[in-house]
Amino acid sequence: FDWFDCWDIGKLAATRAFRDGDMQAFYRGRSMIEEALLMHKKEEPEDLVMRAKVLDSLAECFMAVEDFGPAERHYDEAYNLLLQTVGCNSPLFGKQARHSANLYIAQGQHERALPFLQEALVVEATKDSVSVLELMELIDAIVAAVQKSPGVAQHGQNHRALKALQKNIKSRQLDDSREYGVLSHKMSLLYLHECRQDSNAFRRAWRLAKTSVRLLRKHSESKDSSDQWQRMAEIHLEMLASVRDRYTSGVEKSQANTA
């Protein structure tokens, strides 16, 4: 076998063995991936992107059995190689950042996961093949990480990506769907968590909450609609309305003080 065959067969063997609970076969598959990495470094040392892919596969094998130390080392090396080669705006890098985030989430280290999730969001927000469903899942993960990292300041760290996301979706005419209504609700939740650090966050949360309710009501009779999302969005909007004066007056006072 050459390194690619060893990697490919090792991945398949490890995946099937883990699924079937055959741990001896799983470790044999993982060893093949380790061997493929050594072979690749020797035969094609200049191909850093492929090395990163092999490292990612190896890290995934260690993470599957909760051997987090080796998983972190391999994920870190893959992350740094892709940052060095394809750059931080590449979908490959975004995927790698998400894998690093998943590693820390699995260990309950949500504060460490958050920067990687935000890097993944920057990439997903501007992709040509933007996926509303994938963005919904990613923003869910960011909201959860923020909620579990109360000491982390979020000022300005998500707005640029969320703004680019909305522009990208509108340019592709995907902003009138039920899915975008759900996504708007999730973005509103994320902005709400930033209100203490960003005086404009509440206004953005309010606007997206209204968009969410409008779209979910519009599509409420479609066959794939869910009354649960509409009810959640309406409750969220009512909650924002109940505290709107407090945030609006706070922004006005801030603007007056800086005038």
Side-chain angles (χ1 to χ4, degrees):
F1 297 137
D2 63 13
W3 73 264
F4 187 88
D5 291 331
C6 199
W7 174 46
D8 203 35
I9 295 171
K11 284 192 301 178
L12 181 61
T15 300
R16 288 181 175 178
F18 188 78
R19 179 197 64 193
D20 298 337
D22 186 348
M23 297 311 294
Q24 285 188 342
F26 169 79
Y27 289 123
R28 286 196 298 270
R30 190 176 75 181
S31 294
M32 289 186 71
I33 300 173
E34 290 177 315
E35 184 178 353
L37 179 61
L38 294 174
M39 293 168 65
H40 180 267
K41 287 181 177 180
K42 182 178 180 179
E43 296 171 15
E44 301 182 26
E46 74 287 348
D47 191 349
L48 301 182
V49 173
M50 284 306 304
R51 187 189 303 178
K53 292 181 178 181
V54 180
L55 283 162
D56 182 74
S57 298
L58 187 54
E60 187 176 359
C61 288
F62 281 102
M63 184 171 168
V65 292
E66 298 185 353
D67 195 350
F68 295 124
E72 183 175 0
R73 289 195 300 273
H74 295 313
Y75 273 142
D76 283 351
E77 187 175 353
Y79 173 94
N80 289 325
L81 286 174
L82 290 177
L83 182 61
Q84 172 187 341
T85 53
V86 299
C88 61
N89 294 317
S90 165
L92 277 176
F93 177 79
K95 182 179 178 181
Q96 196 63 57
R98 185 64 196 274
H99 288 177
S100 293
N102 291 342
L103 172 69
Y104 293 120
I105 290 171
Q107 299 174 82
Q109 299 178 20
H110 301 279
E111 187 171 337
R112 294 186 69 183
L114 195 51
F116 293 103
L117 291 170
Q118 291 168 331
E119 287 179 327
L121 177 61
V122 169
V123 175
E124 289 295 325
T126 56
K127 279 173 59 174
D128 291 337
S129 56
V130 62
S131 168
V132 174
L133 295 177
E134 289 180 10
L135 284 164
M136 286 165 54
E137 193 272 336
L138 178 54
I139 291 178
D140 260 346
I142 295 175
V143 170
V146 170
Q147 290 172 337
K148 295 173 182 178
S149 308
V152 177
Q154 292 299 305
H155 177 71
Q157 293 193 25
N158 295 303
H159 173 59
R160 183 174 296 180
L162 293 177
K163 183 178 180 180
L165 181 162
Q166 293 169 72
K167 182 179 179 180
N168 192 12
I169 288 178
K170 289 178 181 178
S171 71
R172 301 178 194 285
Q173 299 182 338
L174 299 173
D175 60 328
D176 195 39
S177 65
R178 173 186 173 274
E179 289 75 17
Y180 187 65
V182 177
L183 179 61
S184 295
H185 172 66
K186 295 176 183 292
M187 289 191 288
S188 180
L189 289 173
L190 184 53
Y191 273 125
L192 187 61
H193 282 287
E194 300 185 3
C195 285
R196 291 185 178 180
Q197 290 81 29
D198 186 347
S199 60
N200 291 311
F202 185 87
R203 172 177 55 81
R204 295 162 182 153
W206 171 259
R207 176 176 55 79
L208 284 163
K210 290 194 297 181
T211 297
S212 174
V213 169
R214 174 178 61 80
L215 288 173
L216 291 172
R217 285 176 177 172
K218 177 180 178 179
H219 294 282
S220 62
E221 296 181 359
S222 64
K223 62 181 180 180
D224 62 343
S225 67
S226 171
D227 290 338
Q228 180 183 6
W229 280 117
Q230 182 178 332
R231 289 196 297 270
M232 289 174 61
E234 288 172 342
I235 291 171
H236 177 63
L237 182 60
E238 290 172 2
M239 185 275 295
L240 292 180
S242 69
V243 298
R244 189 184 181 195
D245 288 345
R246 181 197 314 169
Y247 281 99
T248 301
S249 61
V251 171
E252 290 174 348
K253 289 178 182 178
S254 176
Q255 292 174 342
N257 290 335
T258 58

Short mmCIF file of all heavy atoms in Angstrom, two decimals, residues 25-73:
data_model
loop_
_atom_site.label_atom_id
_atom_site.label_comp_id
_atom_site.label_asym_id
_atom_site.label_seq_id
_atom_site.Cartn_x
_atom_site.Cartn_y
_atom_site.Cartn_z
N ALA A 25 -10.30 -4.32 16.16
CA ALA A 25 -10.25 -3.90 14.76
C ALA A 25 -10.16 -2.38 14.64
O ALA A 25 -9.49 -1.85 13.74
CB ALA A 25 -11.48 -4.41 14.01
N PHE A 26 -10.80 -1.67 15.58
CA PHE A 26 -10.72 -0.21 15.58
C PHE A 26 -9.28 0.25 15.77
O PHE A 26 -8.79 1.12 15.05
CB PHE A 26 -11.60 0.36 16.69
CG PHE A 26 -11.40 1.82 16.95
CD1 PHE A 26 -11.96 2.79 16.12
CD2 PHE A 26 -10.61 2.25 18.01
CE1 PHE A 26 -11.74 4.15 16.35
CE2 PHE A 26 -10.40 3.60 18.25
CZ PHE A 26 -10.97 4.55 17.41
N TYR A 27 -8.60 -0.33 16.74
CA TYR A 27 -7.22 0.08 17.00
C TYR A 27 -6.29 -0.31 15.85
O TYR A 27 -5.32 0.40 15.57
CB TYR A 27 -6.74 -0.52 18.32
CG TYR A 27 -7.40 0.12 19.53
CD1 TYR A 27 -8.10 -0.65 20.45
CD2 TYR A 27 -7.34 1.50 19.73
CE1 TYR A 27 -8.72 -0.07 21.55
CE2 TYR A 27 -7.96 2.09 20.82
CZ TYR A 27 -8.65 1.30 21.72
OH TYR A 27 -9.27 1.89 22.81
N ARG A 28 -6.59 -1.41 15.17
CA ARG A 28 -5.81 -1.75 13.98
C ARG A 28 -6.00 -0.71 12.88
O ARG A 28 -5.04 -0.30 12.23
CB ARG A 28 -6.19 -3.14 13.47
CG ARG A 28 -5.68 -4.29 14.32
CD ARG A 28 -5.75 -5.61 13.56
NE ARG A 28 -7.12 -5.96 13.20
CZ ARG A 28 -7.93 -6.68 13.96
NH1 ARG A 28 -7.51 -7.14 15.13
NH2 ARG A 28 -9.14 -6.98 13.55
N GLY A 29 -7.25 -0.27 12.71
CA GLY A 29 -7.52 0.77 11.72
C GLY A 29 -6.82 2.07 12.08
O GLY A 29 -6.25 2.74 11.21
N ARG A 30 -6.82 2.41 13.37
CA ARG A 30 -6.14 3.63 13.81
C ARG A 30 -4.64 3.54 13.58
O ARG A 30 -4.01 4.52 13.17
CB ARG A 30 -6.44 3.90 15.28
CG ARG A 30 -5.98 5.28 15.74
CD ARG A 30 -6.38 5.56 17.17
NE ARG A 30 -5.55 4.83 18.14
CZ ARG A 30 -5.73 4.90 19.46
NH1 ARG A 30 -6.71 5.63 19.96
NH2 ARG A 30 -4.94 4.21 20.27
N SER A 31 -4.08 2.36 13.80
CA SER A 31 -2.65 2.18 13.57
C SER A 31 -2.31 2.36 12.10
O SER A 31 -1.22 2.88 11.77
CB SER A 31 -2.22 0.79 14.03
OG SER A 31 -2.34 0.66 15.44
N MET A 32 -3.21 1.96 11.22
CA MET A 32 -2.98 2.16 9.80
C MET A 32 -2.93 3.65 9.45
O MET A 32 -2.13 4.09 8.63
CB MET A 32 -4.06 1.47 8.97
CG MET A 32 -3.99 -0.05 8.98
SD MET A 32 -5.19 -0.80 7.85
CE MET A 32 -4.44 -0.37 6.26
N ILE A 33 -3.79 4.44 10.10
CA ILE A 33 -3.78 5.88 9.87
C ILE A 33 -2.48 6.50 10.40
O ILE A 33 -1.89 7.38 9.76
CB ILE A 33 -5.01 6.55 10.52
CG1 ILE A 33 -6.30 5.98 9.94
CG2 ILE A 33 -4.97 8.07 10.31
CD1 ILE A 33 -7.56 6.46 10.64
N GLU A 34 -2.02 6.03 11.55
CA GLU A 34 -0.74 6.50 12.09
C GLU A 34 0.40 6.17 11.13
O GLU A 34 1.29 7.00 10.90
CB GLU A 34 -0.50 5.88 13.46
CG GLU A 34 -1.43 6.41 14.54
CD GLU A 34 -1.23 5.73 15.88
OE1 GLU A 34 -1.11 4.49 15.90
OE2 GLU A 34 -1.18 6.43 16.91
N GLU A 35 0.35 4.97 10.58
CA GLU A 35 1.38 4.57 9.62
C GLU A 35 1.29 5.42 8.35
O GLU A 35 2.32 5.83 7.79
CB GLU A 35 1.22 3.09 9.26
CG GLU A 35 2.31 2.57 8.35
CD GLU A 35 2.15 1.09 8.05
OE1 GLU A 35 1.26 0.44 8.66
OE2 GLU A 35 2.90 0.57 7.19
N ALA A 36 0.07 5.70 7.91
CA ALA A 36 -0.12 6.53 6.72
C ALA A 36 0.46 7.92 6.93
O ALA A 36 1.05 8.51 6.01
CB ALA A 36 -1.61 6.63 6.38
N LEU A 37 0.33 8.46 8.14
CA LEU A 37 0.88 9.78 8.45
C LEU A 37 2.40 9.77 8.32
O LEU A 37 2.98 10.69 7.72
CB LEU A 37 0.45 10.20 9.85
CG LEU A 37 0.97 11.56 10.34
CD1 LEU A 37 0.46 12.69 9.45
CD2 LEU A 37 0.54 11.80 11.79
N LEU A 38 3.03 8.77 8.87
CA LEU A 38 4.49 8.67 8.78
C LEU A 38 4.94 8.52 7.33
O LEU A 38 5.92 9.14 6.89
CB LEU A 38 4.99 7.49 9.61
CG LEU A 38 4.78 7.60 11.13
CD1 LEU A 38 5.19 6.30 11.81
CD2 LEU A 38 5.56 8.79 11.70
N MET A 39 4.22 7.69 6.57
CA MET A 39 4.56 7.48 5.16
C MET A 39 4.41 8.78 4.37
O MET A 39 5.23 9.12 3.52
CB MET A 39 3.67 6.39 4.56
CG MET A 39 3.92 5.01 5.14
SD MET A 39 2.63 3.81 4.68
CE MET A 39 2.86 3.74 2.90
N HIS A 40 3.32 9.51 4.65
CA HIS A 40 3.07 10.75 3.92
C HIS A 40 4.15 11.79 4.21
O HIS A 40 4.62 12.49 3.30
CB HIS A 40 1.69 11.30 4.27
CG HIS A 40 1.36 12.59 3.56
ND1 HIS A 40 1.62 13.82 4.12
CD2 HIS A 40 0.84 12.81 2.34
CE1 HIS A 40 1.24 14.76 3.26
NE2 HIS A 40 0.77 14.17 2.17
N LYS A 41 4.53 11.92 5.46
CA LYS A 41 5.58 12.87 5.81
C LYS A 41 6.88 12.57 5.07
O LYS A 41 7.62 13.49 4.69
CB LYS A 41 5.83 12.85 7.33
CG LYS A 41 4.73 13.49 8.16
CD LYS A 41 5.09 13.43 9.64
CE LYS A 41 4.04 14.12 10.49
NZ LYS A 41 4.37 14.06 11.93
N LYS A 42 7.16 11.28 4.87
CA LYS A 42 8.39 10.88 4.20
C LYS A 42 8.29 11.02 2.69
O LYS A 42 9.24 11.50 2.04
CB LYS A 42 8.72 9.42 4.56
CG LYS A 42 10.01 8.91 3.97
CD LYS A 42 10.29 7.48 4.42
CE LYS A 42 11.60 6.96 3.80
NZ LYS A 42 11.88 5.57 4.25
N GLU A 43 7.14 10.65 2.11
CA GLU A 43 7.00 10.60 0.66
C GLU A 43 6.58 11.94 0.05
O GLU A 43 6.99 12.28 -1.06
CB GLU A 43 5.99 9.52 0.27
CG GLU A 43 6.43 8.12 0.63
CD GLU A 43 5.32 7.09 0.43
OE1 GLU A 43 4.32 7.42 -0.25
OE2 GLU A 43 5.45 5.96 0.95
N GLU A 44 5.75 12.71 0.76
CA GLU A 44 5.25 13.98 0.22
C GLU A 44 5.30 15.06 1.30
O GLU A 44 4.27 15.60 1.72
CB GLU A 44 3.82 13.82 -0.32
CG GLU A 44 3.70 12.78 -1.42
CD GLU A 44 2.29 12.67 -1.98
OE1 GLU A 44 1.54 13.67 -1.91
OE2 GLU A 44 1.93 11.59 -2.48
N PRO A 45 6.49 15.37 1.79
CA PRO A 45 6.60 16.31 2.91
C PRO A 45 6.11 17.72 2.59
O PRO A 45 5.78 18.48 3.51
CB PRO A 45 8.10 16.32 3.20
CG PRO A 45 8.74 15.90 1.92
CD PRO A 45 7.79 14.91 1.31
N GLU A 46 6.04 18.06 1.31
CA GLU A 46 5.61 19.41 0.93
C GLU A 46 4.09 19.57 0.91
O GLU A 46 3.58 20.70 0.90
CB GLU A 46 6.19 19.76 -0.45
CG GLU A 46 5.52 19.08 -1.63
CD GLU A 46 5.87 17.59 -1.76
OE1 GLU A 46 6.80 17.15 -1.06
OE2 GLU A 46 5.20 16.90 -2.55
N ASP A 47 3.34 18.46 0.91
CA ASP A 47 1.87 18.53 0.81
C ASP A 47 1.28 18.67 2.21
O ASP A 47 0.82 17.70 2.81
CB ASP A 47 1.33 17.29 0.10
CG ASP A 47 -0.15 17.43 -0.26
OD1 ASP A 47 -0.78 18.39 0.22
OD2 ASP A 47 -0.65 16.58 -1.02
N LEU A 48 1.24 19.88 2.70
CA LEU A 48 0.79 20.13 4.08
C LEU A 48 -0.71 20.01 4.23
O LEU A 48 -1.21 19.69 5.32
CB LEU A 48 1.26 21.51 4.52
CG LEU A 48 2.78 21.74 4.50
CD1 LEU A 48 3.13 23.13 5.00
CD2 LEU A 48 3.51 20.67 5.32
N VAL A 49 -1.46 20.28 3.17
CA VAL A 49 -2.92 20.18 3.25
C VAL A 49 -3.34 18.72 3.45
O VAL A 49 -4.17 18.41 4.31
CB VAL A 49 -3.58 20.77 1.99
CG1 VAL A 49 -5.09 20.50 2.00
CG2 VAL A 49 -3.33 22.28 1.92
N MET A 50 -2.76 17.82 2.68
CA MET A 50 -3.08 16.41 2.85
C MET A 50 -2.60 15.89 4.20
O MET A 50 -3.27 15.06 4.83
CB MET A 50 -2.46 15.58 1.73
CG MET A 50 -3.19 15.69 0.40
SD MET A 50 -4.97 15.34 0.51
CE MET A 50 -4.98 13.70 1.22
N ARG A 51 -1.48 16.40 4.67
CA ARG A 51 -1.03 15.99 6.00
C ARG A 51 -2.06 16.40 7.05
O ARG A 51 -2.34 15.64 7.99
CB ARG A 51 0.33 16.60 6.34
CG ARG A 51 0.91 16.06 7.65
CD ARG A 51 2.15 16.82 8.11
NE ARG A 51 3.20 16.80 7.09
CZ ARG A 51 4.36 17.43 7.23
NH1 ARG A 51 4.60 18.13 8.34
NH2 ARG A 51 5.26 17.38 6.27
N ALA A 52 -2.60 17.60 6.89
CA ALA A 52 -3.62 18.06 7.83
C ALA A 52 -4.84 17.15 7.81
O ALA A 52 -5.44 16.86 8.85
CB ALA A 52 -4.02 19.50 7.49
N LYS A 53 -5.22 16.67 6.63
CA LYS A 53 -6.38 15.78 6.53
C LYS A 53 -6.12 14.45 7.23
O LYS A 53 -7.02 13.91 7.89
CB LYS A 53 -6.74 15.56 5.06
CG LYS A 53 -7.28 16.81 4.36
CD LYS A 53 -7.65 16.53 2.92
CE LYS A 53 -8.23 17.76 2.25
NZ LYS A 53 -8.62 17.49 0.83
N VAL A 54 -4.92 13.92 7.07
CA VAL A 54 -4.59 12.67 7.75
C VAL A 54 -4.56 12.89 9.27
O VAL A 54 -5.05 12.06 10.05
CB VAL A 54 -3.25 12.11 7.25
CG1 VAL A 54 -2.91 10.81 7.97
CG2 VAL A 54 -3.30 11.87 5.74
N LEU A 55 -3.97 13.99 9.69
CA LEU A 55 -3.95 14.32 11.12
C LEU A 55 -5.36 14.43 11.69
O LEU A 55 -5.64 13.98 12.81
CB LEU A 55 -3.20 15.64 11.33
CG LEU A 55 -1.68 15.58 11.27
CD1 LEU A 55 -1.10 16.97 11.06
CD2 LEU A 55 -1.11 14.96 12.55
N ASP A 56 -6.26 15.02 10.92
CA ASP A 56 -7.64 15.17 11.37
C ASP A 56 -8.29 13.80 11.56
O ASP A 56 -9.01 13.57 12.54
CB ASP A 56 -8.43 16.00 10.35
CG ASP A 56 -9.86 16.22 10.79
OD1 ASP A 56 -10.08 17.03 11.71
OD2 ASP A 56 -10.77 15.58 10.21
N SER A 57 -8.06 12.89 10.62
CA SER A 57 -8.61 11.54 10.75
C SER A 57 -8.07 10.84 11.99
O SER A 57 -8.81 10.17 12.72
CB SER A 57 -8.27 10.71 9.51
OG SER A 57 -8.83 11.25 8.34
N LEU A 58 -6.78 11.02 12.24
CA LEU A 58 -6.16 10.39 13.41
C LEU A 58 -6.71 10.99 14.70
O LEU A 58 -7.02 10.26 15.66
CB LEU A 58 -4.65 10.57 13.32
CG LEU A 58 -3.80 9.84 14.35
CD1 LEU A 58 -4.10 8.36 14.37
CD2 LEU A 58 -2.31 10.09 14.07
N ALA A 59 -6.87 12.30 14.72
CA ALA A 59 -7.43 12.96 15.90
C ALA A 59 -8.85 12.46 16.17
O ALA A 59 -9.22 12.25 17.34
CB ALA A 59 -7.44 14.47 15.69
N GLU A 60 -9.61 12.28 15.12
CA GLU A 60 -10.99 11.80 15.28
C GLU A 60 -11.02 10.43 15.94
O GLU A 60 -11.89 10.14 16.76
CB GLU A 60 -11.67 11.76 13.91
CG GLU A 60 -13.15 11.43 13.98
CD GLU A 60 -13.82 11.47 12.63
OE1 GLU A 60 -13.13 11.78 11.63
OE2 GLU A 60 -15.04 11.20 12.56
N CYS A 61 -10.06 9.57 15.58
CA CYS A 61 -9.99 8.24 16.18
C CYS A 61 -9.71 8.33 17.68
O CYS A 61 -10.29 7.59 18.48
CB CYS A 61 -8.91 7.41 15.50
SG CYS A 61 -9.34 6.86 13.84
N PHE A 62 -8.81 9.22 18.08
CA PHE A 62 -8.51 9.37 19.51
C PHE A 62 -9.70 10.00 20.24
O PHE A 62 -10.01 9.61 21.38
CB PHE A 62 -7.25 10.22 19.70
CG PHE A 62 -5.98 9.45 19.48
CD1 PHE A 62 -5.26 9.58 18.30
CD2 PHE A 62 -5.50 8.60 20.45
CE1 PHE A 62 -4.09 8.88 18.09
CE2 PHE A 62 -4.31 7.88 20.26
CZ PHE A 62 -3.62 8.02 19.07
N MET A 63 -10.37 10.93 19.60
CA MET A 63 -11.51 11.58 20.24
C MET A 63 -12.66 10.60 20.43
O MET A 63 -13.39 10.68 21.43
CB MET A 63 -11.97 12.78 19.41
CG MET A 63 -13.10 13.56 20.05
SD MET A 63 -13.43 15.09 19.18
CE MET A 63 -14.99 15.57 19.94
N ALA A 64 -12.82 9.67 19.50
CA ALA A 64 -13.91 8.70 19.58
C ALA A 64 -13.85 7.87 20.85
O ALA A 64 -14.89 7.48 21.40
CB ALA A 64 -13.89 7.79 18.36
N VAL A 65 -12.63 7.62 21.34
CA VAL A 65 -12.46 6.83 22.57
C VAL A 65 -12.11 7.73 23.76
O VAL A 65 -11.61 7.27 24.79
CB VAL A 65 -11.39 5.74 22.38
CG1 VAL A 65 -11.88 4.69 21.39
CG2 VAL A 65 -10.06 6.33 21.93
N GLU A 66 -12.35 9.03 23.59
CA GLU A 66 -12.15 10.03 24.65
C GLU A 66 -10.71 10.08 25.15
O GLU A 66 -10.46 10.32 26.33
CB GLU A 66 -13.13 9.80 25.81
CG GLU A 66 -14.58 9.92 25.38
CD GLU A 66 -15.55 9.81 26.54
OE1 GLU A 66 -15.11 9.50 27.67
OE2 GLU A 66 -16.76 10.03 26.32
N ASP A 67 -9.79 9.84 24.23
CA ASP A 67 -8.37 10.00 24.54
C ASP A 67 -8.00 11.41 24.07
O ASP A 67 -7.44 11.61 23.00
CB ASP A 67 -7.55 8.94 23.81
CG ASP A 67 -6.13 8.82 24.37
OD1 ASP A 67 -5.74 9.70 25.17
OD2 ASP A 67 -5.42 7.88 23.98
N PHE A 68 -8.34 12.39 24.91
CA PHE A 68 -8.36 13.78 24.45
C PHE A 68 -6.97 14.39 24.26
O PHE A 68 -6.82 15.31 23.46
CB PHE A 68 -9.18 14.63 25.43
CG PHE A 68 -10.63 14.26 25.47
CD1 PHE A 68 -11.23 13.91 26.68
CD2 PHE A 68 -11.41 14.25 24.32
CE1 PHE A 68 -12.58 13.56 26.73
CE2 PHE A 68 -12.75 13.91 24.36
CZ PHE A 68 -13.33 13.56 25.57
N GLY A 69 -5.99 13.92 24.99
CA GLY A 69 -4.65 14.48 24.84
C GLY A 69 -4.09 14.32 23.44
O GLY A 69 -3.76 15.32 22.77
N PRO A 70 -3.96 13.10 22.93
CA PRO A 70 -3.49 12.92 21.55
C PRO A 70 -4.43 13.57 20.52
O PRO A 70 -3.97 14.11 19.51
CB PRO A 70 -3.46 11.40 21.38
CG PRO A 70 -3.35 10.87 22.76
CD PRO A 70 -4.11 11.82 23.63
N ALA A 71 -5.73 13.52 20.79
CA ALA A 71 -6.68 14.15 19.86
C ALA A 71 -6.39 15.64 19.74
O ALA A 71 -6.37 16.20 18.63
CB ALA A 71 -8.11 13.93 20.34
N GLU A 72 -6.14 16.30 20.86
CA GLU A 72 -5.85 17.73 20.84
C GLU A 72 -4.56 18.03 20.08
O GLU A 72 -4.50 18.99 19.29
CB GLU A 72 -5.76 18.28 22.26
CG GLU A 72 -5.53 19.78 22.31
CD GLU A 72 -5.57 20.33 23.73
OE1 GLU A 72 -5.79 19.54 24.67
OE2 GLU A 72 -5.38 21.55 23.89
N ARG A 73 -3.53 17.22 20.29
CA ARG A 73 -2.27 17.46 19.60
C ARG A 73 -2.44 17.35 18.08
O ARG A 73 -1.94 18.19 17.33
CB ARG A 73 -1.21 16.46 20.08
CG ARG A 73 -0.71 16.72 21.49
CD ARG A 73 0.57 15.96 21.78
NE ARG A 73 0.42 14.51 21.65
CZ ARG A 73 -0.01 13.73 22.64
NH1 ARG A 73 -0.32 14.23 23.81
NH2 ARG A 73 -0.10 12.41 22.44
#
